[in-house]
Amino acid sequence: MSLFGNNKKIRIFFTTDVHGSTVVFKKFINAAKFYEAQIIILGGDMVGKMIVPLVEQADKSFRANYLGKVYDVKMGEELEHLEQNLENSGLYPLRLSPEEVRAFDEDKSLVEKRFGQLAAERVAKWMQIAEDRLKGTDIKCFIQPGNDDPYEIDSMFIESEHVKNVDETIVELDDNHEMISVGAANPTPWHCPRDLSEDELSRRIELLANQLKNPKNAIFNLHVPPFDTNLDSAPELDQNLTPKLSLSGGFKMASVGSKAVRSAIEKYQPLLGIHGHIHESRSAQKIGRTMCINPGSEYGEGVLRGVLIDLSKDKIENYTFTQG
Amino acid sequence: MQFGLVYKNTALFNLGTEIAKPQGSILVWILGSISLMLSFYVIYRGIKLFMKFVWGAMILTWIMLAIYAGVMLSVNPDIVAAGMKTLQNIDYQAVLNQAASLGWQKGFFSVAATIMAGITYMNLTCLGSTYSANIAGEIKRVDKAQPLAQYGSIFLFIIYYQIYTYVTYHGVGIDLLQAISKLNSAGQDAAIFKAFPQIPYLLVYATQNPILLLLGGPFAWGLINWVGAMGLAFAPVRNLFAYAFDGMLPPKLNEVNRRGSPVYAVLTGFIISWFQFTVNCITPLLSAYQTYTITIWFFGWIFLSIAAIIFPWKRKDIWEKAPEVTRQKIFGAPAIVVAGVLGLIISLAAVYFTLVPSLIGASVYAQLPALLTSFGFYMILPIVLYYYSMSVNKKRGVPIEKRFKEVPPD
């Protein structure tokens, strides 16, 4: 069942890698109305990077140590303001007593467990925001987890009229365009929950691509960008995961995208590839006839980076990078 | 030109004179076109090749300084005067007398000129510090990279020019330099020297050794400047690419080839540069950009300074998340605001000092056509193109006006 009529143009808003930033997620949901898009897609990596402990002090104030800066805040408005700022930067503020901090220090598995819970809670909160805001509209919201996202969050995705988890599925956007989605990625130095070998990634993409009625008009929503493009350039790391420097003083960059994704795009030559994963590689590049786009990410600053794509029956009318 | 003087070869000297012509020389146009092609080819090939040129130029720069300083320290104004007499039959004292007849006084000192020179050098060091951003792309850890670039470039610049200026004063004499400057402003220098006597040119009066002249004189100077200018060409290519990326120019300019080189942006950059160069070879109408480069730079800095002043209030959300060093306060005001105020004062002063001497002078009417044409071409045309692009995008249904507007989160 298609969403739109046969000859209508559709406008898609695509963003990715929001990494726990609630303000960016809210902007993503509002982007549909703001940019007059019928479909909004979030390409993966929904969870944040870390917990920031807010440790209760003897005078009932709270102390947070974040990125080398100490924040002392009083209970009430100050504390809530700090928590909101941290949440908007994609972090998980957590009020803890000194005893709880000691317990976390002694047993690191508690931290991991709590991180999973906090991540799942935030995704659940977001799903509710999406549902509330999209209710009564014709807007479709497609979301998928990315390689950074732990499996604990999967149960938080709600299937509703407006919001759908599209990971490893095929969706018909209209009578002319189908979309396949895979949120997993090739191996990263951080051994993320959904990192897969290139072979396994290739198998999962093939499984979906094989079922497409018309691959030439399809959209490949693959979280990781194709290898050796402008979309997959990231700082090259040494053994200590520290970026190497180049002769010119900047970081030495390397291609870190997926060869499986590239070969799938070369083989099927879909209309469009939408990708993320590499935040600093905001770019668009053609592989054969396929336009591949990575809108990048600036979630830490609360900025929604995305791309608006206008599709007609069998071509991309235009694409426009946005920064909101 | 210098070799022409040393070997008393008129043809060689005339060749140098021909190359020094600002307009009307086919030879200049051919050599300049080749130079531009080479520059943009290096940019097209990418940063690794370019950096090899930069390191080569850097090494040559210090070799040139060492040779130039060695020669200048080994001579004095009397030896230079003798050189002038031998090579071109120019009388050192007569040059001073002619400048004096135009109003120059021995021991002359100009506050405005000194400030102007200081501002110019400061701007050049800023160019040096942004050089790395232009050629290396996004700079991470700006808290470390930028101070290093800023202070590093200022430090190198000061050291270099202190040595260069001091040895020139020692060898040539400050009086001759000031006299030449006065004669130049009156358009009388070329008649005496048969050429524009820039400082590296004066080396020939101090030594006639061809190797020292080659490595310490205008040839090395020109080569270094060519590599430096090549780096500057990275910025417009980056801008063309970015404008296309932002939808202001056709997306073709945003495409890269298999090697990751923005081939169409490079090509367009070359065509625009070549067009400007060709026009400059024919007429001086667009040349006011060269005369008023500093004015135009600082005109832009006025807006940048105002942006810095209002930033903490206008974009409080970003300000609050800025690195600690940016949010530091000086006398109770945010450091960025203090920097903005200082920048605004300096920029306004720079615009004043670079515009006023020419506008109040007798040559104002002669300069006006070039000034107006350059202003129209470099200032008005981009604004017209911007609104044209906005209109085209609007017709295509692209909400260009919303591209950088914040999406309301609530």
Side-chain angles (χ1 to χ4, degrees):
Chain A
M1 178 69 183
S2 67
L3 302 173
F4 300 96
N6 193 26
N7 290 319
K8 274 187 180 175
K9 281 184 193 171
I10 55 169
R11 174 170 288 175
I12 296 168
F13 176 77
F14 173 73
T15 192
T16 182
D17 296 75
V18 295
H19 284 290
S21 171
T22 297
V23 72
V24 175
F25 184 81
K26 285 178 175 176
K27 287 179 177 181
F28 162 64
I29 297 299
N30 285 1
K33 284 183 188 165
F34 189 78
Y35 297 121
E36 296 169 27
Q38 292 87 41
I39 296 169
I40 54 175
I41 301 168
L42 201 165
D45 279 2
M46 301 179 73
V47 305
K49 299 284 188 187
M50 61 191 277
I51 293 174
V52 178
L54 304 169
V55 185
E56 193 174 359
Q57 306 296 300
D59 62 355
K60 300 295 176 195
S61 68
F62 284 82
R63 173 170 285 187
N65 192 332
Y66 169 56
L67 288 181
K69 190 180 176 191
V70 176
Y71 296 84
D72 285 309
V73 289
K74 291 180 188 145
M75 179 72 117
E77 204 176 310
E78 271 188 22
L79 178 62
E80 284 163 17
H81 183 67
L82 177 62
E83 286 176 324
Q84 193 60 57
N85 278 348
L86 292 170
E87 182 173 342
N88 285 341
S89 297
L91 302 158
Y92 298 103
L94 181 62
R95 297 182 195 187
L96 293 172
S97 66
E99 294 75 29
E100 286 173 311
V101 173
R102 270 195 295 278
F104 273 43
D105 280 342
E106 285 164 15
D107 185 356
K108 295 293 178 198
S109 70
L110 285 178
V111 180
E112 277 181 35
K113 194 177 167 191
R114 195 73 183 99
F115 181 83
Q117 287 170 351
L118 288 168
E121 280 168 21
R122 189 165 296 172
V123 170
K125 178 180 159 183
W126 286 4
M127 292 303 106
Q128 197 54 54
I129 290 171
E131 191 56 27
D132 290 346
R133 292 189 180 186
L134 299 177
K135 197 185 286 178
T137 70
D138 293 328
I139 299 158
K140 298 291 171 190
C141 173
F142 298 127
I143 291 173
Q144 69 175 351
N147 68 311
D148 268 6
D149 296 327
Y151 286 96
E152 287 99 310
I153 70 164
D154 285 11
S155 59
M156 298 298 147
F157 287 111
I158 50 171
E159 293 293 327
S160 74
E161 190 188 343
H162 302 290
V163 186
K164 187 176 169 63
N165 174 9
V166 290
D167 192 22
E168 303 198 18
T169 66
I170 302 175
V171 179
E172 280 190 23
L173 300 182
D174 61 9
D175 289 342
N176 306 305
H177 304 98
E178 300 164 281
M179 179 174 79
I180 66 166
S181 303
V182 176
N186 53 329
T188 64
W190 299 277
H191 308 291
C192 298
R194 294 179 208 238
D195 285 358
L196 297 175
S197 68
E198 289 279 14
D199 287 345
E200 178 57 19
L201 190 58
S202 175
R203 192 189 68 76
R204 294 192 190 192
I205 297 168
E206 282 288 331
L207 197 67
L208 296 168
N210 269 331
Q211 299 173 57
L212 289 166
K213 289 178 218 160
N214 182 8
K216 298 281 178 209
N217 241 11
I219 296 169
F220 279 21
N221 173 25
L222 308 174
H223 179 63
V224 62
F227 177 74
D228 194 17
T229 57
N230 266 7
L231 285 64
D232 78 327
S233 185
E236 194 178 334
L237 304 177
D238 63 16
Q239 287 175 335
N240 302 316
L241 302 182
T242 306
K244 293 180 183 174
L245 291 177
S246 72
L247 184 67
S248 55
F251 287 150
K252 197 173 179 184
M253 305 302 274
S255 279
V256 295
S258 164
K259 290 176 181 170
V261 168
R262 180 163 191 128
S263 66
I265 288 170
E266 283 173 343
K267 179 179 172 186
Y268 291 98
Q269 287 286 281
L271 185 64
L272 174 68
I274 43 179
H275 313 276
H277 193 50
I278 310 300
H279 303 175
E280 55 271 67
S281 264
R282 178 175 165 94
S283 193
Q285 185 177 335
K286 273 194 165 181
I287 297 180
R289 69 179 288 274
T290 306
M291 177 58 78
C292 298
I293 303 176
N294 174 4
S297 172
E298 212 178 334
Y299 73 93
E301 311 303 322
V303 175
L304 175 71
R305 284 196 165 193
V307 58
L308 280 173
I309 304 153
D310 290 335
L311 296 180
S312 59
K313 189 177 173 186
D314 55 6
K315 71 172 193 178
I316 300 168
E317 289 292 328
N318 55 62
Y319 66 89
T320 312
F321 284 101
T322 63
Q323 185 171 310
Chain B
M1 218 183 281
Q2 291 177 314
F3 286 106
L5 289 178
V6 172
Y7 295 112
K8 303 198 183 309
N9 185 327
T10 313
L12 211 54
F13 185 83
N14 289 344
L15 182 67
T17 313
E18 180 72 14
I19 290 170
K21 276 185 186 170
Q23 274 92 35
S25 169
I26 296 286
L27 184 63
V28 168
W29 182 77
I30 292 169
L31 290 175
S33 299
I34 293 168
S35 159
L36 274 175
M37 275 184 224
L38 278 172
S39 300
F40 279 89
Y41 175 72
V42 171
I43 291 171
Y44 160 77
R45 284 290 305 274
I47 198 69
K48 282 183 186 164
L49 180 63
F50 174 67
M51 285 311 294
K52 286 177 186 168
F53 273 84
V54 171
W55 278 111
M58 184 73 156
I59 292 164
L60 184 59
T61 299
W62 291 100
I63 290 173
M64 189 193 87
L65 182 66
I67 290 171
Y68 181 82
V71 172
M72 283 297 170
L73 287 174
S74 68
V75 297
N76 57 46
D78 291 339
I79 297 173
V80 168
M84 288 165 67
K85 193 75 184 170
T86 309
L87 293 172
Q88 286 183 289
N89 198 27
I90 300 170
D91 186 83
Y92 190 99
Q93 191 55 47
V95 173
L96 302 191
N97 292 343
Q98 190 167 336
S101 71
L102 292 168
W104 169 72
Q105 289 177 329
K106 196 175 168 68
F108 168 79
F109 177 75
S110 162
V111 176
T114 306
I115 292 174
M116 169 58 204
I119 287 170
T120 305
Y121 293 155
M122 193 181 73
N123 201 298
L124 286 171
T125 59
C126 288
L127 275 180
S129 65
T130 53
Y131 210 71
S132 56
N134 282 334
I135 61 178
E138 301 291 331
I139 300 290
K140 302 289 179 186
R141 295 302 308 269
V142 287
D143 54 331
K144 285 189 178 174
Q146 282 306 296
L148 190 67
Q150 296 271 0
Y151 293 112
S153 56
I154 288 171
F155 179 75
L156 284 177
F157 201 84
I158 288 172
I159 294 286
Y160 197 94
Y161 265 87
Q162 278 298 110
I163 296 173
Y164 199 83
T165 311
Y166 172 77
V167 299
T168 307
Y169 286 171
H170 178 274
V172 175
I174 194 165
D175 291 345
L176 182 67
L177 290 173
Q178 286 194 349
I180 288 173
S181 178
K182 189 68 187 178
L183 292 167
N184 177 260
S185 66
Q188 296 182 12
D189 53 335
I192 300 167
F193 292 90
K194 313 297 177 205
F196 174 43
Q198 285 179 316
I199 290 176
Y201 178 81
L202 302 177
L203 189 69
V204 73
Y205 302 131
T207 179
Q208 286 81 51
N209 182 311
I211 295 169
L212 297 181
L213 282 176
L214 197 70
L215 291 173
F219 179 75
W221 185 261
L223 211 58
I224 292 159
N225 276 290
W226 175 59
V227 177
M230 197 193 291
L232 292 178
F234 262 90
V237 170
R238 270 176 68 82
N239 288 344
L240 286 168
F241 185 86
Y243 294 153
F245 196 89
D246 290 343
M248 303 308 298
L249 289 174
K252 201 76 184 162
L253 295 178
N254 183 29
E255 286 182 17
V256 295
N257 64 8
R258 281 283 294 176
R259 296 160 51 91
S261 180
V263 57
Y264 297 108
V266 172
L267 193 62
T268 308
F270 166 72
I271 291 167
I272 294 170
S273 305
W274 183 78
F275 168 76
Q276 287 176 270
F277 169 68
T278 303
V279 171
N280 283 339
C281 283
I282 299 164
T283 166
L285 271 180
L286 287 183
S287 66
Y289 176 70
Q290 294 157 23
T291 314
Y292 294 97
T293 303
I294 306 297
T295 314
I296 292 166
W297 283 346
F298 275 101
F299 194 68
W301 277 51
I302 290 173
F303 296 100
L304 183 72
S305 303
I306 293 169
I309 292 167
I310 62 173
F311 176 67
W313 295 279
K314 185 78 179 167
R315 292 307 303 266
K316 200 175 177 185
D317 52 332
I318 300 175
W319 164 251
E320 285 178 347
K321 290 178 194 160
E324 187 104 13
V325 64
T326 314
R327 287 185 286 114
Q328 275 181 352
K329 292 196 170 180
I330 301 170
F331 304 121
I336 194 170
V337 174
V338 175
V341 171
L342 289 174
L344 186 61
I345 294 167
I346 291 167
S347 305
L348 288 169
V351 169
Y352 175 80
F353 282 118
T354 50
L355 272 181
V356 168
S358 58
L359 287 181
I360 60 171
S363 59
V364 59
Y365 294 110
Q367 290 184 23
L368 213 52
L371 192 61
L372 290 177
T373 316
S374 297
F375 184 77
F377 187 78
Y378 293 108
M379 297 287 199
I380 304 295
L381 190 60
I383 295 171
V384 173
L385 288 174
Y386 174 80
Y387 283 103
Y388 173 72
S389 171
M390 291 279 279
S391 139
V392 168
N393 275 303
K394 204 170 183 180
K395 277 184 191 157
R396 288 168 61 212
V398 178
I400 199 85
E401 71 285 357
K402 289 184 178 175
R403 296 194 55 197
F404 299 106
K405 275 194 178 167
E406 186 176 17
V407 180
D410 295 310

